[in-house]
Amino acid sequence: KSLITAVLAVGAAMIAAVATAQTPPEALTWMVLNEINSAWFDRTEPFNRPPLVTRVPDGVIRPVDVSHDGKPDWLIDHTDSGLMYCGTGGCLRTLYVSDGDDYVLAFDEQSHTFDLSRRGGETVIDVEVHHVFCGVAEGACGFAWAWDAGLKRLVERPNAAGQTLLTHDGGFPPVSEREG
């Protein structure tokens, strides 16, 4: 009987550990809920807004593994957030990568796609963005990066089509420099 109890206790602990590891950090949940709710803020028309969103829509914040340090990295994909963060340039996607003790903002841009794959022994992030970033009138415009733990940032890689940033006019930074 004690063996069954021990097995059940270990199983429950494993389930709790998996659930905890996959629960987004409260800070990200708060940030996304704030973005969703504040998008409708209009001081001149405070009553003309949808109900307050109290739960992040499924799939908006999800764990990914980019740093391979045993901690989840977090992708915020606004495709299904209900916000107007999607348009001709794609949808806003934000990636926080674990650097052991903290998280680094590694990607914060609009993109049509955001795909993770294993190539050359590393996880590569492939994105397609608006063609204006490639200096072409039509067609796909893709960029790729992999996480560099030493530099604590994404570094350029050839994209899924084998193109590098050098083939594009000026590249596409994964995090825009914004005035603070």
Side-chain angles (χ1 to χ4, degrees), residues 62-68 72-77 93-97 106-107 111 113-119 122-128 143-147 154 160:
R62 61 183 182 265
V64 295
D65 191 12
V66 175
S67 63
H68 305 291
D73 305 308
W74 295 98
L75 175 63
I76 301 170
D77 185 343
R93 291 174 172 100
T94 304
L95 174 66
Y96 290 93
V97 177
F107 188 92
S111 65
T113 63
F114 189 101
D115 298 314
L116 298 170
S117 64
R118 295 285 293 176
R119 287 199 307 265
E122 61 187 358
T123 298
V124 178
I125 300 166
D126 282 289
V127 301
E128 286 192 14
F143 297 92
W145 302 271
W147 181 249
L154 294 174

